[in-house]
Amino acid sequence: MNKIDMTVGTVKMLKNYGHNSFKINNSESIKILEEALKKGVTKLDTAESYGKIEKIIPKSLLNCFEITSKINISEKNPIEQIETFFNKNKHVRKLLIHNADIVFMNNHEEILFKCSNYFKSKFGLSMYSPIYTEIAMENGIKNFQIPCNILDNRWDFFKNKKTNVYVEARSVFLQGILLKKNISLPKL
């Protein structure tokens, strides 16, 4: 049986997001993280585009977590963006790049080398589509974060592959839609 790690997503702690677009207030965010620690959950997922988690959560509490962050890189100066991110975010233990297309349409060897220097084996891709997954694995990427829920089977091939990749599921409840009591779906 595979080990299942839980991670606290922080997007709603930092901005309005999801189906019921609202932001959790700072004191409630702190309570959530304290409760997570009591339950043995020691990982946080955040992103540069969400905002700065360290501005709302005390450093003493943040230091209890292994923090994964995601960034979008642009075609212009992706290496410089990774260097800048690393230098400003020493508390981040794992980096996931959102836009695989830019990685593989540019000098991906240099981008991957730079990421491996800064984050060792703790870097990977936050994917929206399986398009670049094979080429990413061929290039040694072993960490993937993917949208995964009962309605989305695009990623089922991970179940059938005998690889040593680490896959993190996100959006398992479709941003809360699957938890609603009365869902009105459009007629097809």
Side-chain angles (χ1 to χ4, degrees), residues 49-60:
S49 63
Y50 301 170
K52 294 281 189 187
I53 189 73
E54 60 274 14
K55 287 188 177 181
I56 65 162
I57 305 297
K59 188 175 183 176
S60 59

Side-chain angles (χ1 to χ4, degrees), residues 4-7 45 144-149 155 166-173:
I4 297 175
D5 290 323
M6 295 293 290
T7 301
D45 177 75
F144 296 90
Q145 187 184 79
I146 61 171
C148 184
N149 59 68
W155 306 93
Y166 182 77
V167 179
E168 298 174 31
R170 69 169 185 270
S171 299
V172 294
F173 299 116

Side-chain angles (χ1 to χ4, degrees), residues 35-187:
E35 190 62 30
L37 284 174
K38 288 179 191 173
K39 304 287 185 194
V41 178
T42 58
K43 294 181 180 180
L44 284 184
D45 177 75
T46 192
E48 193 175 52
S49 63
Y50 301 170
K52 294 281 189 187
I53 189 73
E54 60 274 14
K55 287 188 177 181
I56 65 162
I57 305 297
K59 188 175 183 176
S60 59
L61 182 56
L62 272 184
N63 287 341
C64 298
F65 290 91
E66 178 182 320
I67 299 174
T68 296
S69 188
K70 300 177 286 277
I71 63 170
N72 288 307
I73 58 173
S74 66
E75 290 181 54
K76 195 171 151 183
N77 302 321
I79 301 297
E80 184 179 312
Q81 288 175 289
I82 292 165
E83 290 171 344
T84 300
F85 178 86
F86 179 76
N87 290 326
K88 288 182 177 178
N89 297 281
K90 299 285 187 184
H91 60 285
V92 171
R93 295 290 163 246
K94 186 194 292 184
L95 175 68
L96 299 172
I97 297 173
H98 265 310
N99 37 354
D101 55 335
I102 292 190
V103 172
F104 292 108
M105 290 189 314
N106 284 285
N107 184 357
H108 69 274
E109 290 92 357
E110 188 177 357
I111 294 170
L112 299 179
F113 179 76
K114 192 60 77 172
C115 287
S116 68
N117 276 348
Y118 288 135
F119 295 96
K120 308 300 179 218
S121 64
K122 297 284 194 169
F123 78 93
L125 298 173
S126 175
M127 310 285 282
Y128 292 96
S129 163
I131 293 172
Y132 289 99
T133 308
E134 289 293 331
I135 192 168
M137 289 190 293
E138 289 167 9
N139 280 275
I141 294 179
K142 298 186 183 310
N143 291 290
F144 296 90
Q145 187 184 79
I146 61 171
C148 184
N149 59 68
I150 61 171
L151 302 177
D152 185 353
N153 64 359
R154 295 174 300 158
W155 306 93
D156 284 354
F157 66 88
F158 271 124
K159 291 186 226 171
N160 304 322
K161 288 204 173 281
K162 299 289 183 213
T163 62
N164 58 345
V165 298
Y166 182 77
V167 179
E168 298 174 31
R170 69 169 185 270
S171 299
V172 294
F173 299 116
L174 280 176
Q175 301 176 3
I177 292 173
L178 296 179
L179 298 175
K180 289 186 66 135
K181 289 183 181 182
N182 298 316
I183 302 174
S184 23
L185 298 173
K187 300 226 188 261

